[in-house]
Amino acid sequence: MAGSKSPLFDTATTLGKIVAFFGVSAICGVLAAGLLVPIASLAGSSANASIEFFEELPEELRQDPLSVPSKILASDGTTLATFYSENRKPVSIDKISQPMKDAIVSIEDERFYEHGGIDLRGTLRAVASNLTSSSEQGASTLTMQYVNNQIINSGVLAGIPAEELTISGTKDYGDKLREMKLAIAVEKQMSKDEILEGYLNLVLFSGRNYGVEAAAQRFFSKSAADLNIPEAAMLAGMVQIPNVYNPEKNPELTQKRRDTVLAAMLRNQAITQEEYDEAVATDIQLKPKSTNSGCIASNVAPHFCDYVRHQILADPAYGETVEARENLLFRGGLEIKTTLDVDAQKEAIAAARKAVPADDPSDLGSAVVSVEPGTGKILAMAQNKEYGPGDSGAETVYNFNVAREYGGSNGFQGGSTMKPFTTIAWLQSGRKMWERIDASVDSYSPSFQWKASCLNLGYALAPTGYEPKNFDAGFKRSMTVDEGLYWSINTATVAQAARLDLCDISNAAYDVGIVDQAVRDEETGRPTAINPANPSMVLGTANVTPLSQAAGFAAFANNGEFCEPRALVSVKDAAGNNYKVPAESCRSAIDPDVVRNLNGTLSKIASQRVAKGTISSPIAGKTGTSNQAASTWFVGYTTGISTAAWVGSHKNSNDDLRGITVNGQTVASPDSSTWAAPLWLDYMSKVIPNYEATAFGQADSRPAPQPAPSSDSDDDDSDDSGDDSSADSSDNSDSGDSGNESNSGDSNSGNTNTTPGGPGAGNGNNGNRGNGNGNNDD
């Protein structure tokens, strides 16, 4: 910042200028000798006052780290994005060409190697000129310029607004005196090469390109070590007025300035006459290359980049305030290594945009996200829309895969991807997959008490009653739990839930990180567990994110062990300091025996209904479609990779997508088999071979068949064993959504028998969301 001003340095008047002249003249003598002399040795009160002012100035230059760009890297070291306020890549003096060093010295400070920080002759000449004319002439040596740039750099890092910092053209005599004193100190501490290196790494060349290496890359696509004479002269000439001497904006002015530098080089014998003649006869030959800042410049993983950016800005490990963290990200030279697999990411983007082109007239969104079972590493995160603020429909900054606190929205209704958690609660209660349930019941009275032990009354009510419906006819009958889950029968899942504790179902989802994004805790703003006060939640009325789905289902692939999804591997700054990143966090969430039996059914869904023999590796997964196909899903996995694929409306969960034309195809009644499952299959068929896929545990075998209960309406089902024979009982094996509907319609008035806090506890005010009519889920 500018030093305190002495009244004697008020140069608004002629008297002030004369006083300043004698004062500065006296100080120049002191500075030239490099030491302070007794005041008595100087004549005049102005000199005395000047020396007193000078003695109060700082004696040591604060040299903070340079502002250096940060980079987000993929797991293999590929740069995904660069963040900078000042695009700079510091290099050592031996990595800067001799012509560049000669050019900057010749034009900025031809006696650089002769003086001790200030050039007395140049200073007196400039002072005399400024006193006798209205124009201002500079006298800064390279050392003084280095000092000034360091002061600006330190101020910016300290958060001082740029307009408050002293820049060229706004300095008074006090500012110049400070530079002089500090320049003397710097010359005693640093060699000439060290000063020149520091200056060439600090100085602004154009726009936000600082330092000679960034400038060389920006205009010539080469390193500073390879700059030739005319290139070096052009860059040296730019530093005087970077916004004017810009070869792209003002090529003629820039070339004229370059030739002035070449003349100075010739005058100082830095180049020969022959080299000069050849250089001035050469037109400026640019090979420009831009390095844009931020996620918008990433062509591999822009939305994943944005997710990482949000994580850095939200973590106090990188600064006490968001502003401090942002300053570190844009200036601290962070190397942020992530979990992203570039090969998987490229396949994910291609598949997402193949399913629904970014500019498709339907404006539907598609998303793909993969997590590694056993580690939680996010391997890929892609969507069809480009990253950007555009309103054309082809761009969005919203990340479909994540929660809103990380750049997403409120998630999407999960539909039948929620049904495995009812089955988990079923198995956890000691029941079996081959046990029968009555899926013919499609109406529950308002007085029916749905057990929910975590609520105040111990049960939930659907005040207007609950009438789950199936999408296809023929499934309102007795069936095994295995068959109900395989065909994703709504009435079957609800019949299970009617015999269970809804809190157990909510908790089963919560245990693997699946929460309701649309319901937030009032104090923390974080999403809560899915509300068990709504019986329809068992059919997927809650809003969930694709990332939470991929991570949750990864627990099914990993014997019930859930690992928090993670994107960061390591973070270190330009000085080599390491920052703490979230460690791998895994926990046992589901009994392995429960998972083994669940996978027995989910593996058949994936292999028989989705892949249909096209993938040889063991796979498992679950389909899902919400009301009017506003959201369609397939979440599937191997033991090596778990992926959620989603296609639907990213603007309105109540959109009716029946009959919509997507990617040139019109479907009257779309479901997960229409968009999401093919998207998953297209992507996973390419990446599964890159991750070890072993067999899932064998599901329990059903004991010897028992006679069907007399109440069963379909005696043919009495011997169903829950194996493939139950899956073959329908002729709709090619459908992704046979015989089911979700219940995610409008909310009815809710009950309020709640208890606060705890996983699975809800506020009870949402009631029974939906009446089950006209919903299409699998």
Side-chain angles (χ1 to χ4, degrees):
M1 295 181 63
S4 301
K5 296 180 181 178
S6 167
L8 292 174
F9 286 95
D10 183 359
T11 58
T13 66
T14 301
L15 176 60
K17 289 185 177 182
I18 294 173
V19 170
F21 172 75
F22 285 108
V24 172
S25 297
I27 290 177
C28 282
V30 176
L31 293 171
L35 48 84
L36 294 176
V37 296
I39 295 175
S41 67
L42 298 174
S45 61
S46 64
N48 291 343
S50 298
I51 291 299
E52 290 173 1
F53 173 73
F54 176 75
E55 288 178 327
E56 296 175 357
L57 295 174
E59 297 183 0
E60 185 174 345
L61 177 65
R62 175 177 173 177
Q63 301 191 49
D64 288 308
L66 300 185
S67 293
V68 181
S70 295
K71 291 186 176 182
I72 295 179
L73 309 177
S75 60
D76 64 354
T78 300
T79 298
L80 301 177
T82 302
F83 291 81
Y84 62 82
S85 293
E86 299 177 4
N87 184 29
R88 175 187 284 113
K89 184 178 180 181
V91 292
S92 58
I93 194 70
D94 61 325
K95 300 297 183 183
I96 302 172
S97 73
Q98 190 62 44
M100 186 67 229
K101 291 180 281 189
D102 291 339
I104 201 70
V105 169
S106 295
I107 194 64
E108 290 295 321
D109 187 2
E110 62 185 17
R111 283 183 290 278
F112 173 65
Y113 291 103
E114 301 169 13
H115 61 65
I118 63 169
D119 182 355
L120 179 59
R121 181 169 37 164
T123 300
L124 291 177
R125 183 185 66 244
V127 171
S129 175
N130 293 344
L131 292 176
T132 58
S133 69
S134 58
S135 63
E136 297 235 347
Q137 186 178 119
S140 292
T141 63
L142 277 175
T143 309
M144 292 168 64
Q145 292 183 51
Y146 170 71
V147 166
N148 185 56
N149 279 282
Q150 276 288 10
I151 291 171
I152 293 173
N153 181 65
S154 296
V156 170
L157 290 177
I160 299 173
E163 61 270 15
E164 295 182 17
L165 296 171
T166 299
I167 58 175
S168 179
T170 67
K171 289 178 275 191
D172 60 22
Y173 283 105
D175 296 322
K176 297 294 290 186
L177 287 175
R178 175 179 58 169
E179 286 183 14
M180 290 176 181
K181 185 174 183 179
L182 291 174
I184 292 290
V186 166
E187 288 273 356
K188 292 179 179 179
Q189 298 166 0
M190 301 170 64
S191 70
K192 289 291 186 180
D193 275 356
E194 288 173 334
I195 295 169
L196 185 59
E197 175 187 305
Y199 172 81
L200 285 171
N201 281 314
L202 269 167
V203 69
L204 170 65
F205 283 88
S206 69
R208 288 197 287 171
N209 297 295
Y210 289 74
V212 65
E213 179 68 19
Q217 295 289 350
R218 169 67 181 85
F219 293 105
F220 302 112
S221 296
K222 62 170 58 175
S223 68
D226 298 325
L227 291 170
N228 60 30
I229 292 172
E231 293 167 345
M234 189 202 85
L235 293 181
M238 292 176 67
V239 301
Q240 185 183 53
I241 316 176
N243 291 332
V244 174
Y245 297 130
N246 185 314
E248 292 179 324
K249 296 179 180 178
N250 301 305
E252 293 181 1
L253 276 176
T254 304
Q255 183 156 332
K256 184 177 180 181
R257 174 66 177 168
R258 180 204 68 175
D259 292 347
T260 298
V261 176
L262 290 169
M265 295 176 73
L266 177 63
R267 184 174 63 250
N268 288 283
Q269 299 181 344
I271 56 175
T272 65
Q273 183 68 50
E274 182 181 357
E275 288 172 326
Y276 169 80
D277 293 340
E278 181 180 351
V280 294
T282 303
D283 290 333
I284 291 177
Q285 299 174 348
L286 301 178
K287 189 178 179 182
K289 178 177 67 175
S290 296
T291 301
N292 295 321
S293 176
C295 298
I296 199 166
S298 176
N299 58 7
V300 176
H303 289 92
F304 175 77
C305 165
D306 190 66
Y307 174 70
V308 171
R309 180 181 71 88
H310 274 86
Q311 287 208 317
I312 296 293
L313 296 183
D315 192 340
Y318 305 102
E320 294 183 359
T321 65
V322 173
E323 291 76 15
R325 297 163 206 157
E326 189 168 35
N327 194 52
L328 179 65
L329 177 61
F330 281 84
R331 295 182 179 276
L334 298 181
E335 182 183 276
I336 306 168
K337 190 170 184 180
T338 71
T339 59
L340 195 82
D341 179 335
V342 170
D343 292 334
Q345 177 68 18
K346 290 178 179 178
E347 295 293 351
I349 288 180
R353 293 177 181 170
K354 178 181 176 183
V356 185
D359 58 354
D360 193 79
S362 68
D363 195 27
L364 292 193
S366 64
V368 178
V369 59
S370 295
V371 170
E372 184 177 58
T375 67
K377 291 179 180 179
I378 300 172
L379 304 173
M381 182 182 288
Q383 61 191 60
N384 64 327
K385 302 293 186 180
E386 301 278 356
Y387 183 84
D391 56 3
S392 64
E395 295 180 348
T396 181
V397 295
Y398 286 110
N399 187 337
F400 300 153
N401 283 295
V402 302
R404 73 182 185 208
E405 56 265 33
Y406 295 116
S409 57
N410 275 333
F412 311 100
Q413 289 186 337
S416 286
T417 58
M418 181 67 185
K419 289 177 179 175
F421 299 103
T422 296
T423 299
I424 288 172
W426 179 270
L427 294 170
Q428 286 175 334
S429 70
R431 296 176 171 91
K432 306 298 183 182
M433 293 299 293
W434 55 78
E435 291 186 43
R436 306 185 70 82
I437 37 121
D438 185 1
S440 67
V441 179
D442 62 0
S443 180
Y444 296 83
S445 71
S447 62
F448 185 87
Q449 295 184 359
W450 301 81
K451 185 178 180 182
S453 59
C454 58
L455 302 183
N456 285 343
L457 297 179
Y459 59 85
L461 297 173
T464 61
Y466 185 31
E467 298 181 354
K469 305 297 181 185
N470 294 330
F471 184 61
D472 287 339
F475 289 92
K476 288 175 59 176
R477 54 182 173 81
S478 172
M479 61 182 65
T480 63
V481 169
D482 170 74
E483 184 182 5
L485 181 60
Y486 179 89
W487 289 116
S488 198
I489 309 302
N490 283 353
T491 53
T493 298
V494 174
Q496 283 179 265
R499 296 166 60 182
L500 297 170
D501 188 324
L502 297 185
C503 296
D504 290 342
I505 299 172
S506 174
N507 287 340
Y510 186 87
D511 287 344
V512 294
I514 296 179
V515 294
D516 192 343
Q517 295 292 328
V519 182
R520 299 273 170 156
D521 182 271
E522 293 182 359
E523 293 185 2
T524 66
R526 308 291 293 183
T528 65
I530 296 171
N531 192 350
N534 301 317
S536 62
M537 65 98 177
V538 303
L539 299 183
T541 58
N543 282 18
V544 296
T545 65
L547 177 58
S548 69
Q549 294 271 66
F553 277 57
F556 304 165
N558 192 42
N559 295 316
E561 183 183 56
F562 169 71
C563 298
E564 295 284 351
R566 57 193 298 257
L568 301 178
V569 174
S570 64
V571 178
K572 65 180 179 180
D573 63 20
N577 300 310
N578 290 303
Y579 289 80
K580 186 177 181 179
V581 299
E584 187 176 296
S585 178
C586 301
R587 62 178 182 269
S588 179
I590 312 170
D591 185 281
D593 288 336
V594 169
V595 171
R596 179 168 48 81
N597 285 287
L598 176 69
N599 283 338
T601 302
L602 299 189
S603 62
K604 290 186 294 186
I605 294 174
S607 61
Q608 297 173 11
R609 293 180 56 196
V610 174
K612 301 174 185 176
T614 60
I615 294 179
S616 59
S617 300
I619 57 175
K622 185 68 185 75
T623 51
T625 310
S626 71
N627 280 7
Q628 289 81 48
S631 286
T632 67
W633 299 82
F634 186 73
V635 188
Y637 50 91
T638 69
T639 56
I641 183 171
S642 174
T643 297
W646 170 88
V647 178
S649 172
H650 59 97
K651 294 182 177 179
N652 189 344
S653 62
N654 293 320
D655 278 351
D656 188 344
L657 302 187
R658 293 173 296 184
I660 194 172
T661 299
V662 178
N663 205 5
Q665 299 294 318
T666 303
V667 180
S669 297
D671 54 31
S672 68
S673 68
T674 308
W675 304 310
L679 167 57
W680 183 92
L681 186 61
D682 181 26
Y683 164 70
M684 288 287 274
S685 62
K686 297 179 177 68
V687 300
I688 283 176
N690 298 330
Y691 298 90
E692 184 177 4
T694 59
F696 301 112
Q698 183 67 38
D700 293 339
S701 299
R702 181 181 179 177
Q706 301 295 316
S710 59
S711 61
D712 282 353
S713 59
D714 188 346
D715 292 339
D716 291 338
D717 289 333
S718 60
D719 291 330
D720 283 349
S721 62
D723 58 14
D724 293 350
S725 63
S726 66
D728 295 335
S729 62
S730 169
D731 59 2
N732 293 320
S733 59
D734 289 342
S735 169
D737 302 312
S738 297
N740 58 77
E741 305 166 289
S742 80
N743 292 279
S744 52
D746 297 333
S747 298
N748 295 323
S749 58
N751 71 47
T752 57
N753 54 339
T754 64
T755 185
N763 60 24
N765 293 326
N766 291 326
N768 169 30
R769 229 185 289 179
N771 58 17
N773 294 323
N775 302 322
N776 159 4
D777 192 5
D778 50 316

PDB file of all heavy atoms in Angstrom, residues 729-754:
ATOM      1  N   SER A 729     -43.067 -66.221 -15.509  1.00  0.00           N
ATOM      2  CA  SER A 729     -44.516 -66.337 -15.429  1.00  0.00           C
ATOM      3  C   SER A 729     -45.240 -65.241 -16.181  1.00  0.00           C
ATOM      4  O   SER A 729     -46.453 -65.232 -16.228  1.00  0.00           O
ATOM      5  CB  SER A 729     -44.949 -66.303 -13.950  1.00  0.00           C
ATOM      6  OG  SER A 729     -44.587 -65.061 -13.378  1.00  0.00           O
ATOM      7  N   SER A 730     -44.497 -64.289 -16.743  1.00  0.00           N
ATOM      8  CA  SER A 730     -45.126 -63.224 -17.513  1.00  0.00           C
ATOM      9  C   SER A 730     -44.526 -63.184 -18.900  1.00  0.00           C
ATOM     10  O   SER A 730     -43.385 -63.551 -19.095  1.00  0.00           O
ATOM     11  CB  SER A 730     -44.929 -61.872 -16.807  1.00  0.00           C
ATOM     12  OG  SER A 730     -45.317 -60.826 -17.660  1.00  0.00           O
ATOM     13  N   ASP A 731     -45.300 -62.704 -19.858  1.00  0.00           N
ATOM     14  CA  ASP A 731     -44.777 -62.614 -21.215  1.00  0.00           C
ATOM     15  C   ASP A 731     -44.198 -61.221 -21.484  1.00  0.00           C
ATOM     16  O   ASP A 731     -43.969 -60.846 -22.611  1.00  0.00           O
ATOM     17  CB  ASP A 731     -45.873 -62.936 -22.248  1.00  0.00           C
ATOM     18  CG  ASP A 731     -47.058 -61.991 -22.128  1.00  0.00           C
ATOM     19  OD1 ASP A 731     -47.015 -61.079 -21.280  1.00  0.00           O
ATOM     20  OD2 ASP A 731     -48.032 -62.172 -22.888  1.00  0.00           O
ATOM     21  N   ASN A 732     -43.946 -60.438 -20.425  1.00  0.00           N
ATOM     22  CA  ASN A 732     -43.425 -59.085 -20.592  1.00  0.00           C
ATOM     23  C   ASN A 732     -41.949 -59.001 -20.250  1.00  0.00           C
ATOM     24  O   ASN A 732     -41.464 -57.993 -19.755  1.00  0.00           O
ATOM     25  CB  ASN A 732     -44.192 -58.100 -19.690  1.00  0.00           C
ATOM     26  CG  ASN A 732     -45.626 -57.944 -20.131  1.00  0.00           C
ATOM     27  OD1 ASN A 732     -45.898 -57.894 -21.316  1.00  0.00           O
ATOM     28  ND2 ASN A 732     -46.532 -57.858 -19.165  1.00  0.00           N
ATOM     29  N   SER A 733     -41.182 -60.051 -20.517  1.00  0.00           N
ATOM     30  CA  SER A 733     -39.793 -60.102 -20.065  1.00  0.00           C
ATOM     31  C   SER A 733     -38.914 -59.057 -20.724  1.00  0.00           C
ATOM     32  O   SER A 733     -37.834 -58.779 -20.238  1.00  0.00           O
ATOM     33  CB  SER A 733     -39.205 -61.484 -20.331  1.00  0.00           C
ATOM     34  OG  SER A 733     -39.264 -61.777 -21.711  1.00  0.00           O
ATOM     35  N   ASP A 734     -39.344 -58.440 -21.819  1.00  0.00           N
ATOM     36  CA  ASP A 734     -38.523 -57.423 -22.464  1.00  0.00           C
ATOM     37  C   ASP A 734     -38.796 -56.035 -21.925  1.00  0.00           C
ATOM     38  O   ASP A 734     -38.165 -55.074 -22.335  1.00  0.00           O
ATOM     39  CB  ASP A 734     -38.762 -57.425 -23.979  1.00  0.00           C
ATOM     40  CG  ASP A 734     -38.168 -58.647 -24.633  1.00  0.00           C
ATOM     41  OD1 ASP A 734     -37.302 -59.289 -24.012  1.00  0.00           O
ATOM     42  OD2 ASP A 734     -38.574 -58.948 -25.753  1.00  0.00           O
ATOM     43  N   SER A 735     -39.744 -55.914 -21.057  1.00  0.00           N
ATOM     44  CA  SER A 735     -40.100 -54.585 -20.552  1.00  0.00           C
ATOM     45  C   SER A 735     -39.276 -54.255 -19.330  1.00  0.00           C
ATOM     46  O   SER A 735     -39.026 -55.089 -18.485  1.00  0.00           O
ATOM     47  CB  SER A 735     -41.588 -54.546 -20.194  1.00  0.00           C
ATOM     48  OG  SER A 735     -41.884 -53.366 -19.488  1.00  0.00           O
ATOM     49  N   GLY A 736     -38.886 -53.000 -19.221  1.00  0.00           N
ATOM     50  CA  GLY A 736     -38.177 -52.571 -18.028  1.00  0.00           C
ATOM     51  C   GLY A 736     -39.118 -52.286 -16.892  1.00  0.00           C
ATOM     52  O   GLY A 736     -38.709 -52.144 -15.760  1.00  0.00           O
ATOM     53  N   ASP A 737     -40.389 -52.151 -17.136  1.00  0.00           N
ATOM     54  CA  ASP A 737     -41.319 -51.660 -16.137  1.00  0.00           C
ATOM     55  C   ASP A 737     -42.589 -52.492 -16.049  1.00  0.00           C
ATOM     56  O   ASP A 737     -43.680 -51.976 -15.925  1.00  0.00           O
ATOM     57  CB  ASP A 737     -41.733 -50.220 -16.481  1.00  0.00           C
ATOM     58  CG  ASP A 737     -40.535 -49.318 -16.570  1.00  0.00           C
ATOM     59  OD1 ASP A 737     -39.731 -49.376 -15.648  1.00  0.00           O
ATOM     60  OD2 ASP A 737     -40.426 -48.577 -17.550  1.00  0.00           O
ATOM     61  N   SER A 738     -42.461 -53.774 -16.135  1.00  0.00           N
ATOM     62  CA  SER A 738     -43.664 -54.591 -16.181  1.00  0.00           C
ATOM     63  C   SER A 738     -44.439 -54.555 -14.879  1.00  0.00           C
ATOM     64  O   SER A 738     -43.892 -54.729 -13.809  1.00  0.00           O
ATOM     65  CB  SER A 738     -43.291 -56.038 -16.496  1.00  0.00           C
ATOM     66  OG  SER A 738     -42.712 -56.122 -17.766  1.00  0.00           O
ATOM     67  N   GLY A 739     -45.720 -54.344 -15.001  1.00  0.00           N
ATOM     68  CA  GLY A 739     -46.658 -54.547 -13.913  1.00  0.00           C
ATOM     69  C   GLY A 739     -46.487 -53.676 -12.714  1.00  0.00           C
ATOM     70  O   GLY A 739     -46.583 -54.157 -11.601  1.00  0.00           O
ATOM     71  N   ASN A 740     -46.223 -52.370 -12.879  1.00  0.00           N
ATOM     72  CA  ASN A 740     -46.028 -51.572 -11.697  1.00  0.00           C
ATOM     73  C   ASN A 740     -46.269 -50.109 -11.948  1.00  0.00           C
ATOM     74  O   ASN A 740     -46.296 -49.644 -13.067  1.00  0.00           O
ATOM     75  CB  ASN A 740     -44.614 -51.756 -11.177  1.00  0.00           C
ATOM     76  CG  ASN A 740     -43.629 -51.387 -12.252  1.00  0.00           C
ATOM     77  OD1 ASN A 740     -43.410 -50.215 -12.481  1.00  0.00           O
ATOM     78  ND2 ASN A 740     -43.066 -52.377 -12.923  1.00  0.00           N
ATOM     79  N   GLU A 741     -46.398 -49.363 -10.880  1.00  0.00           N
ATOM     80  CA  GLU A 741     -46.511 -47.917 -10.915  1.00  0.00           C
ATOM     81  C   GLU A 741     -45.889 -47.359  -9.648  1.00  0.00           C
ATOM     82  O   GLU A 741     -45.926 -47.996  -8.614  1.00  0.00           O
ATOM     83  CB  GLU A 741     -47.982 -47.478 -10.939  1.00  0.00           C
ATOM     84  CG  GLU A 741     -48.799 -48.079 -12.060  1.00  0.00           C
ATOM     85  CD  GLU A 741     -50.268 -47.866 -11.814  1.00  0.00           C
ATOM     86  OE1 GLU A 741     -50.811 -48.499 -10.911  1.00  0.00           O
ATOM     87  OE2 GLU A 741     -50.847 -47.048 -12.510  1.00  0.00           O
ATOM     88  N   SER A 742     -45.329 -46.137  -9.739  1.00  0.00           N
ATOM     89  CA  SER A 742     -44.881 -45.492  -8.512  1.00  0.00           C
ATOM     90  C   SER A 742     -46.023 -44.672  -7.947  1.00  0.00           C
ATOM     91  O   SER A 742     -47.008 -44.419  -8.614  1.00  0.00           O
ATOM     92  CB  SER A 742     -43.687 -44.586  -8.780  1.00  0.00           C
ATOM     93  OG  SER A 742     -44.112 -43.364  -9.316  1.00  0.00           O
ATOM     94  N   ASN A 743     -45.852 -44.292  -6.712  1.00  0.00           N
ATOM     95  CA  ASN A 743     -46.876 -43.485  -6.064  1.00  0.00           C
ATOM     96  C   ASN A 743     -46.260 -42.179  -5.615  1.00  0.00           C
ATOM     97  O   ASN A 743     -46.047 -41.929  -4.440  1.00  0.00           O
ATOM     98  CB  ASN A 743     -47.446 -44.241  -4.865  1.00  0.00           C
ATOM     99  CG  ASN A 743     -48.230 -45.443  -5.318  1.00  0.00           C
ATOM    100  OD1 ASN A 743     -49.374 -45.313  -5.708  1.00  0.00           O
ATOM    101  ND2 ASN A 743     -47.605 -46.615  -5.294  1.00  0.00           N
ATOM    102  N   SER A 744     -45.920 -41.352  -6.549  1.00  0.00           N
ATOM    103  CA  SER A 744     -45.238 -40.108  -6.231  1.00  0.00           C
ATOM    104  C   SER A 744     -46.005 -38.908  -6.750  1.00  0.00           C
ATOM    105  O   SER A 744     -45.457 -37.970  -7.258  1.00  0.00           O
ATOM    106  CB  SER A 744     -43.828 -40.112  -6.813  1.00  0.00           C
ATOM    107  OG  SER A 744     -43.863 -40.440  -8.180  1.00  0.00           O
ATOM    108  N   GLY A 745     -47.312 -38.965  -6.615  1.00  0.00           N
ATOM    109  CA  GLY A 745     -48.144 -37.863  -7.072  1.00  0.00           C
ATOM    110  C   GLY A 745     -48.273 -36.773  -6.051  1.00  0.00           C
ATOM    111  O   GLY A 745     -47.424 -36.563  -5.208  1.00  0.00           O
ATOM    112  N   ASP A 746     -49.369 -36.062  -6.088  1.00  0.00           N
ATOM    113  CA  ASP A 746     -49.558 -34.934  -5.188  1.00  0.00           C
ATOM    114  C   ASP A 746     -49.714 -35.408  -3.759  1.00  0.00           C
ATOM    115  O   ASP A 746     -50.274 -36.465  -3.476  1.00  0.00           O
ATOM    116  CB  ASP A 746     -50.803 -34.133  -5.593  1.00  0.00           C
ATOM    117  CG  ASP A 746     -50.642 -33.537  -6.978  1.00  0.00           C
ATOM    118  OD1 ASP A 746     -49.480 -33.293  -7.360  1.00  0.00           O
ATOM    119  OD2 ASP A 746     -51.657 -33.322  -7.648  1.00  0.00           O
ATOM    120  N   SER A 747     -49.235 -34.580  -2.832  1.00  0.00           N
ATOM    121  CA  SER A 747     -49.317 -34.930  -1.420  1.00  0.00           C
ATOM    122  C   SER A 747     -50.719 -34.696  -0.889  1.00  0.00           C
ATOM    123  O   SER A 747     -51.375 -33.717  -1.210  1.00  0.00           O
ATOM    124  CB  SER A 747     -48.328 -34.078  -0.616  1.00  0.00           C
ATOM    125  OG  SER A 747     -47.018 -34.322  -1.027  1.00  0.00           O
ATOM    126  N   ASN A 748     -51.163 -35.642  -0.053  1.00  0.00           N
ATOM    127  CA  ASN A 748     -52.384 -35.426   0.704  1.00  0.00           C
ATOM    128  C   ASN A 748     -52.012 -34.767   2.023  1.00  0.00           C
ATOM    129  O   ASN A 748     -50.849 -34.653   2.379  1.00  0.00           O
ATOM    130  CB  ASN A 748     -53.082 -36.769   0.980  1.00  0.00           C
ATOM    131  CG  ASN A 748     -53.545 -37.419  -0.298  1.00  0.00           C
ATOM    132  OD1 ASN A 748     -53.993 -36.744  -1.220  1.00  0.00           O
ATOM    133  ND2 ASN A 748     -53.418 -38.740  -0.382  1.00  0.00           N
ATOM    134  N   SER A 749     -52.994 -34.325   2.767  1.00  0.00           N
ATOM    135  CA  SER A 749     -52.690 -33.759   4.072  1.00  0.00           C
ATOM    136  C   SER A 749     -52.060 -34.830   4.933  1.00  0.00           C
ATOM    137  O   SER A 749     -52.449 -35.988   4.894  1.00  0.00           O
ATOM    138  CB  SER A 749     -53.972 -33.239   4.729  1.00  0.00           C
ATOM    139  OG  SER A 749     -54.914 -34.274   4.860  1.00  0.00           O
ATOM    140  N   GLY A 750     -51.054 -34.461   5.723  1.00  0.00           N
ATOM    141  CA  GLY A 750     -50.278 -35.462   6.445  1.00  0.00           C
ATOM    142  C   GLY A 750     -50.668 -35.602   7.893  1.00  0.00           C
ATOM    143  O   GLY A 750     -51.337 -34.756   8.472  1.00  0.00           O
ATOM    144  N   ASN A 751     -50.223 -36.720   8.481  1.00  0.00           N
ATOM    145  CA  ASN A 751     -50.433 -36.839   9.911  1.00  0.00           C
ATOM    146  C   ASN A 751     -49.258 -36.201  10.628  1.00  0.00           C
ATOM    147  O   ASN A 751     -48.234 -35.884  10.042  1.00  0.00           O
ATOM    148  CB  ASN A 751     -50.618 -38.307  10.320  1.00  0.00           C
ATOM    149  CG  ASN A 751     -49.347 -39.110  10.215  1.00  0.00           C
ATOM    150  OD1 ASN A 751     -48.303 -38.666  10.667  1.00  0.00           O
ATOM    151  ND2 ASN A 751     -49.441 -40.307   9.622  1.00  0.00           N
ATOM    152  N   THR A 752     -49.388 -35.999  11.892  1.00  0.00           N
ATOM    153  CA  THR A 752     -48.350 -35.289  12.642  1.00  0.00           C
ATOM    154  C   THR A 752     -47.873 -36.078  13.840  1.00  0.00           C
ATOM    155  O   THR A 752     -47.361 -35.524  14.797  1.00  0.00           O
ATOM    156  CB  THR A 752     -48.890 -33.932  13.121  1.00  0.00           C
ATOM    157  OG1 THR A 752     -50.062 -34.151  13.898  1.00  0.00           O
ATOM    158  CG2 THR A 752     -49.226 -33.032  11.951  1.00  0.00           C
ATOM    159  N   ASN A 753     -48.042 -37.405  13.816  1.00  0.00           N
ATOM    160  CA  ASN A 753     -47.596 -38.210  14.954  1.00  0.00           C
ATOM    161  C   ASN A 753     -46.109 -38.491  14.816  1.00  0.00           C
ATOM    162  O   ASN A 753     -45.683 -39.535  14.370  1.00  0.00           O
ATOM    163  CB  ASN A 753     -48.394 -39.521  15.050  1.00  0.00           C
ATOM    164  CG  ASN A 753     -48.360 -40.306  13.757  1.00  0.00           C
ATOM    165  OD1 ASN A 753     -48.105 -39.749  12.703  1.00  0.00           O
ATOM    166  ND2 ASN A 753     -48.625 -41.600  13.852  1.00  0.00           N
ATOM    167  N   THR A 754     -45.281 -37.496  15.152  1.00  0.00           N
ATOM    168  CA  THR A 754     -43.850 -37.592  14.901  1.00  0.00           C
ATOM    169  C   THR A 754     -43.042 -37.501  16.173  1.00  0.00           C
ATOM    170  O   THR A 754     -43.519 -37.097  17.219  1.00  0.00           O
ATOM    171  CB  THR A 754     -43.403 -36.449  13.977  1.00  0.00           C
ATOM    172  OG1 THR A 754     -43.608 -35.212  14.669  1.00  0.00           O
ATOM    173  CG2 THR A 754     -44.192 -36.432  12.690  1.00  0.00           C
TER     174      THR A 754
END
